[in-house]
Amino acid sequence: MSDKTTTADEVASRLRSGMTLGIGGWGSRRKPMALVRALLRSDVTDLTVVSYGGPDVGMLAAAGRIRKLVAPFVTLDSIPLEPHYRAARERGAFELMEIDEAMFMWGLHAAANRLPFLPVRAGLGSDVMRVNSGLQTVTSPYDDGETFVAVPALRLDAALVHVGRADRQGNGRYLGPDPYFDDLFCEAADTAYLSCERIVDTAELTKEAAPQSLLIKRHTVTGVVEAPNGAHFTSCAPDYGRDEAFQKAYATTPWADFAAQFLGGDEQAYQSAVREGEWTS
Amino acid sequence: MTEVTRAEYCVIACAEAWRDAGEVLASPMGLIPSVGARLARLTFSPDLLLTDGEALLVTPDGTVEGWLPYRQHLALVTGGRRHVMMGASQIDRYGNQNISCIGDWERPKRQLLGVRGAPVNTLNNPTSYWIPRHSRRVFVEKVDMVCGVGYDHAAGARYHRIPRVVSDLGVFDFDTPDRSMRLASLHPGVTLEQVREATSFELAVPDEVPRTRPPTAEELRLIREVLDPGNTRAREVGA
């Protein structure tokens, strides 16, 4: 069976400018930040990013890597408004497809099911229809005759997700209470890269957990990266919570300073800088 | 017992949104609506479902009784078995709500959260609003971006309903012929003039404006001793 283990930088080298990139997690929760940091070290740009947005979006926006964003929100959760995303939006830095949370989910479902669209009862009457002039409606062919929004498939060139444990083949187990939509991102993508806190033997995945926690299936995964603390500074329950102090530093430090201080080196340098905790003073 | 505070009237006004709601999920956003939802569950709406704010359904004492991750939550919304109380950065006379941005959407003056689930909420389950600081900046003539759909945009959508808006000044509904916002009750200590001053559009006002009801002694005990002993509610709405 194929061993799919690789490194974050190797993943970044397989991504291309102009790609549509889905990023798992939700807000400032279980974001594949080690992969995002690797992406920031590469010269990949001009991305269409599809995300329930958190600091992944804020960082890529601040670094000028986003051409178009597809999102229902961008937030740091405990800090409601993502400052770098806000700044980028307020200077008109990229195109935005702003859709509702459920529309977003059904767009991924459509992509995963090889459908061009799925009908939803959401969006009608709201300005989501005004600001996304390409969105079409569809009429029920049955007696009810109701009108729905036809959410287009959000097909992804690549997906990045992060979970607690994975084996070398790309089976992934999540340990927290919410799977978010990470499996759906992988299914909606042509290639998917799974980072995890720890790579374990396949047998160990279900040693202390029910098989229902095996969220990611290997046939949807292209590469597996072991990235301890790889969701930092977002949460990865129950392994660790959000690093609130660091997140605050991220939100209040000018982007150039933050990037120079934390993103100039590799992932190991980042994790050392985090451990040293100089930013707390 | 000391005098009932404005925050406590707000808790009661929020709790009342879930009266007779049945076996539905109460989704409060904001601190005072959270206390209100749990108060309703402990008193007059014992069948309500509550969440821990993440993926679990819990009883008021925190006992887990179910699992509700985001994707199931979205199915529950479209199934209609939920009454959410959202926030609003702007709201207009027909209940259109904005949490996306201030100014022109193409190049916003202030980027806010984004539409979040407001479009799907308002077409599928009853959606009320909680506004801790009633002002002309929030109660606007026209919202900059319609996120939550108001009555004039809903085109009679079959499940669209905005039961109430609660602010620190009073309770509002849309019980008028043209479904525009009406003052339903004033919190004690608030004048009609104050509300008009803080509202950019003309409110429908009944000839006799009721006062928001006070909490019962038992409700007050639950709020103060069980649900919010740290009095965090006072941080959201001062005296």
Side-chain angles (χ1 to χ4, degrees):
Chain A
M1 211 175 298
S2 56
D3 183 328
K4 296 177 187 165
T5 53
T6 182
T7 65
D9 288 312
E10 173 62 23
V11 169
S13 78
R14 290 195 226 171
L15 303 176
R16 295 279 167 267
S17 294
M19 273 188 166
T20 296
L21 190 61
I23 303 179
W26 173 282
S28 194
R29 305 173 201 200
R30 217 175 67 217
K31 284 288 177 179
M33 297 305 286
L35 298 180
V36 170
R37 286 188 282 269
L39 191 54
L40 289 167
R41 286 192 296 274
S42 77
D43 55 8
V44 173
T45 189
D46 201 33
L47 294 167
T48 292
V49 172
V50 179
S51 177
Y52 286 109
D56 52 331
V57 170
M59 287 187 176
L60 292 170
R65 307 301 182 92
I66 303 179
R67 183 183 64 77
K68 181 181 176 182
L69 175 67
V70 180
F73 58 77
V74 182
T75 180
L76 297 173
D77 295 327
S78 54
I79 299 172
L81 305 180
E82 216 295 348
H84 303 300
Y85 165 70
R86 292 189 74 180
R89 266 285 281 160
E90 290 166 15
R91 65 174 183 266
F94 50 79
E95 190 187 333
L96 176 63
M97 179 181 182
E98 184 172 358
I99 53 173
D100 165 90
E101 288 170 11
M103 295 171 74
F104 186 105
M105 175 184 76
W106 287 112
L108 290 178
H109 270 294
N113 289 279
R114 298 193 298 186
L115 292 168
F117 72 90
L118 277 168
V120 298
R121 191 184 285 114
L124 293 166
S126 80
D127 277 342
V128 162
M129 304 307 285
R130 172 174 66 86
V131 303
N132 298 291
S133 55
L135 282 180
Q136 303 294 316
T137 59
V138 64
T139 306
S140 165
Y142 299 106
D143 289 346
D144 59 277
E146 190 173 343
T147 299
F148 299 96
V149 172
V151 179
L154 295 174
R155 191 70 204 171
L156 312 169
D157 293 313
L160 308 179
V161 301
H162 183 82
V163 295
R165 307 285 179 269
D167 66 14
R168 308 178 80 84
Q169 287 76 47
N171 295 301
R173 174 180 157 210
Y174 80 112
L175 303 164
D178 202 312
Y180 308 121
F181 301 85
D182 288 1
D183 49 331
L184 203 47
F185 275 96
C186 293
E187 289 166 4
D190 295 338
T191 57
Y193 299 97
L194 169 65
S195 62
C196 62
E197 291 298 311
R198 198 149 55 81
I199 289 179
V200 298
D201 288 339
T202 305
E204 205 181 309
L205 286 173
T206 47
K207 214 152 121 192
E208 286 168 355
Q212 293 92 313
S213 63
L214 294 176
L215 179 66
I216 311 288
K217 294 161 194 32
R218 63 182 168 82
H219 71 281
T220 65
V221 173
T222 313
V224 183
V225 175
E226 186 167 63
N229 211 30
H232 184 270
F233 48 88
T234 71
S235 63
C236 188
D239 287 327
Y240 46 91
R242 186 178 304 122
D243 188 337
E244 297 288 359
F246 191 93
Q247 174 164 286
K248 194 169 173 208
Y250 160 76
T252 53
T253 306
W255 169 251
D257 296 349
F258 179 86
Q261 197 178 350
F262 293 105
L263 304 174
D266 60 10
E267 178 70 8
Q268 216 174 352
Y270 173 85
Q271 295 292 351
S272 309
V274 168
R275 269 194 305 276
E276 281 160 24
E278 282 165 17
W279 45 272
T280 51
S281 55
Chain B
M1 202 170 285
T2 53
E3 203 182 328
V4 179
T5 66
R6 179 78 64 81
E8 287 158 352
Y9 279 103
C10 291
V11 168
I12 289 297
C14 290
E16 285 287 346
W18 287 288
R19 189 181 281 277
D20 302 325
E23 208 159 18
V24 308
L25 178 70
S27 284
M29 308 199 179
L31 200 132
I32 282 179
S34 298
V35 179
R38 284 180 294 146
L39 180 68
R41 166 78 169 75
L42 285 176
T43 55
F44 49 77
S45 294
D47 292 333
L48 284 179
L49 304 172
L50 302 174
T51 76
D52 67 342
E54 295 211 32
L56 301 177
L57 292 171
V58 293
T59 64
D61 68 6
T63 303
V64 176
E65 63 165 335
W67 183 54
L68 193 71
Y70 283 117
R71 70 181 77 180
Q72 290 192 8
H73 203 137
L74 287 170
L76 189 145
V77 169
T78 46
R81 306 282 304 225
R82 174 178 183 253
H83 182 162
V84 59
M85 184 170 273
M86 295 189 76
S89 301
Q90 295 178 325
I91 191 165
D92 71 18
R93 75 177 68 199
Y94 295 108
N96 296 292
Q97 169 254 28
N98 176 22
I99 45 172
S100 168
C101 65
I102 301 298
D104 181 19
W105 179 88
E106 295 286 344
R107 184 79 184 263
K109 196 158 38 169
R110 261 174 85 79
Q111 174 64 39
L112 305 175
L113 274 178
V115 295
R116 296 219 66 147
V120 73
N121 287 347
T122 43
L123 289 192
N124 290 282
N125 60 198
T127 304
S128 292
Y129 294 102
W130 160 242
I131 293 153
R133 264 187 295 283
H134 194 130
S135 78
R136 283 176 172 259
R137 279 176 54 181
V138 181
F139 287 76
V140 294
E141 191 61 50
K142 189 175 182 300
V143 300
D144 292 340
M145 167 93 177
V146 176
C147 302
V149 178
Y151 281 101
D152 63 333
H153 281 81
R158 62 176 71 174
Y159 305 118
H160 176 264
R161 193 156 73 86
I162 310 175
R164 63 171 53 194
V165 176
V166 180
S167 80
D168 58 333
L169 300 184
V171 179
F172 307 84
D173 61 23
F174 299 88
D175 199 6
T176 51
D178 70 344
R179 310 311 307 257
S180 64
M181 200 186 289
R182 181 188 80 132
L183 176 58
S185 74
L186 282 172
H187 301 329
V190 179
T191 67
L192 177 57
E193 201 44 44
Q194 248 178 299
V195 173
R196 281 187 166 137
E197 278 284 303
T199 308
S200 289
F201 53 85
E202 188 135 353
L203 275 169
V205 178
D207 294 339
E208 258 181 64
V209 184
R211 291 280 165 183
T212 304
R213 79 162 174 91
T216 65
E218 174 59 5
E219 287 168 341
L220 205 52
R221 186 190 70 79
L222 287 168
I223 295 169
R224 291 179 177 179
E225 293 173 23
V226 178
L227 296 171
D228 187 26
N231 196 19
T232 56
R233 60 194 177 278
R235 287 208 295 269
E236 200 162 72
V237 170

